[in-house]
């Protein structure tokens, strides 16, 4: 069974940085799009960043210039470097994989999901 496991979440002061990781077990990620989503309590799940099989990236406007998504295909691992964190960035962060090389920001397009890692940003 395919499993995605996130790590790296925690509590940080505004302006600080965190790096999230997502490891894939039982599935090779090289040909597929992967993405990060986040969801705060009472809010809808929103796309944060995507990275296609060729390395092409997209970002939500709210994080553009502050977050960087990368992938290490031989390690089957996805990363999200988050800099200049703001309180509004606080949420549960999920990684996801869709079985296609091109990316989407719609959660409905992703087949596999991790269980999430919590990010809290203090003022």
């Amino acid at each position: 069974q395919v499993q995605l496991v996130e790590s790296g979440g925690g509590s940080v002061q505004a302006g600080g940085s965190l790096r999230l990781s997502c490891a894939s077990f039982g599935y090779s990620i090289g040909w597929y799009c992967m993405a990060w989503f986040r969801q705060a309590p009472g809010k809808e799940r929103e796309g944060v960043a995507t990275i296609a099989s060729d390395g092409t990236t997209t970002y939500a406007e709210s994080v553009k210039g502050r977050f960087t998504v990368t992938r290490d295909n031989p390690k089957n691992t996805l990363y999200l470097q988050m800099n200049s964190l703001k309180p509004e960035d606080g949420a549960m962060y999920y990684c996801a994989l869709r079985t296609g090389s091109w990316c989407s920001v719609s959660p409905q397009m992703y087949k596999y999901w991790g269980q999430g890692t919590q990010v809290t940003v203090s003022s």
Side-chain angles (χ1 to χ4, degrees):
Q1 184 177 19
V2 175
Q3 285 192 318
L4 302 176
V5 181
E6 303 96 335
S7 62
S11 183
V12 65
Q13 288 266 303
S17 298
L18 287 171
R19 188 172 81 150
L20 307 184
S21 299
C22 172
S24 173
F25 298 92
Y27 210 90
S28 297
I29 70 170
W31 287 281
Y32 305 117
C33 174
M34 298 193 72
W36 289 98
F37 292 83
R38 67 186 182 189
Q39 188 167 25
K43 302 289 186 179
E44 293 184 341
R45 188 167 299 187
E46 64 172 339
V48 176
T50 70
I51 183 164
S53 59
D54 67 355
T56 302
T57 59
T58 69
Y59 297 93
E61 288 298 318
S62 60
V63 307
K64 199 173 184 69
R66 300 187 296 119
F67 291 11
T68 303
V69 62
T70 57
R71 65 195 295 160
D72 187 335
N73 291 339
K75 294 182 178 180
N76 286 319
T77 303
L78 176 75
Y79 302 97
L80 183 68
Q81 179 66 48
M82 305 186 294
N83 298 327
S84 301
L85 283 162
K86 304 174 180 179
E88 53 263 44
D89 294 319
M92 184 72 75
Y93 282 71
Y94 301 89
C95 77
L97 180 152
R98 71 175 295 265
T99 52
S101 58
W102 308 122
C103 289
S104 169
V105 296
S106 172
Q108 291 291 103
M109 299 299 294
Y110 289 81
K111 184 176 179 67
Y112 300 107
W113 293 83
Q115 293 187 349
T117 186
Q118 182 68 47
V119 172
T120 302
V121 185
S122 302
S123 300

